[in-house]
Amino acid sequence: MKIIYIHHGNRKKCNPSTQNDDLTEIGYKDCELTAELFNNDKIKKSIKAIYTSPFFRCKKTAEIVNTYMNAPIICEDRLNEYKSMGEESWVECQNRIIEFIDEIITKYDNADTILCVTSGVNIGAFVVKFFGLNSSENIPFLGVPSCSPIIFEYDKDKK
């Protein structure tokens, strides 16, 4: 099974208190280029769903990336940013995302590919899950460039 983490496209920072910021022109272009990466019959057949944070920039990224696939897009609150769901520790944020990833692993088959469009800081939880680490306040806030797809593989038969 492949779970592909995709950081949302570069966003306009119009209002720091809102999560409805649109993408920049470069962000739109990055999303279009990423969509082209998935414009391959073999890849398109394996993609079963795109999960996205409900933030506008993530939903818009998911829509554009889905241009050639027509996969179902599912909004998932657990893909929201750190502290966007109220006060939470960094460990609690990692754990909510790992809980979501565990559900995806249970729901889909080894041959399936799932895309997850979310914010940059959330890559930390993906790293914790797929490298077998423990959630920790010491996991760094990693930066990820606009619309970067990162593939994580999981073999349900070997775990």
Side-chain angles (χ1 to χ4, degrees):
M1 150 175 282
K2 291 182 179 131
I3 297 178
I4 303 177
Y5 163 97
I6 300 177
H7 182 268
H8 60 75
N10 191 31
R11 71 172 172 159
K12 297 177 184 175
K13 294 185 182 176
C14 302
N15 180 348
S17 66
T18 182
Q19 297 300 336
N20 293 318
D21 296 339
D22 199 353
L23 303 176
T24 64
E25 185 177 329
I26 290 171
Y28 276 97
K29 287 182 181 182
D30 289 344
C31 292
E32 291 165 2
L33 290 169
T34 302
E36 291 286 337
L37 293 173
F38 297 109
N39 191 13
N40 169 296
D41 287 339
K42 183 179 177 185
I43 294 170
K44 288 191 280 191
K45 287 179 186 175
S46 74
I47 295 174
K48 300 303 178 197
I50 300 172
Y51 287 83
T52 180
S53 159
F55 294 163
F56 180 81
R57 64 186 175 271
C58 295
K59 290 191 299 187
K60 183 51 88 176
T61 297
E63 290 170 10
I64 296 168
V65 167
N66 197 27
T67 299
Y68 303 106
M69 293 178 283
N70 297 314
I73 297 175
I74 303 159
C75 280
E76 175 55 61
D77 286 340
R78 289 175 290 180
L79 289 175
N80 284 348
E81 289 182 347
Y82 173 55
K83 291 194 176 183
S84 64
M85 297 175 67
E87 287 300 313
E88 67 182 342
S89 70
W90 179 221
V91 168
E92 290 169 330
C93 175
Q94 293 166 53
N95 288 340
R96 80 169 142 81
I97 295 167
I98 290 167
E99 176 185 89
F100 160 73
I101 294 169
D102 286 340
E103 286 180 22
I104 294 300
I105 289 169
T106 300
K107 183 174 181 176
Y108 294 95
D109 296 328
N110 260 349
D112 295 340
T113 300
I114 305 301
L115 305 183
C116 297
V117 180
T118 186
S119 298
V121 70
N122 292 346
I123 188 71
F126 283 75
V127 169
V128 166
K129 171 63 184 173
F130 290 100
F131 283 84
L133 305 173
N134 292 318
S135 298
S136 165
E137 294 293 338
N138 294 322
I139 299 296
F141 286 19
L142 303 169
V144 180
S146 172
C147 218
S148 300
I150 301 170
I151 300 172
F152 293 93
E153 293 194 51
Y154 188 88
D155 187 341
K156 293 167 71 167
D157 296 331
K158 291 185 179 180
K159 302 297 175 189

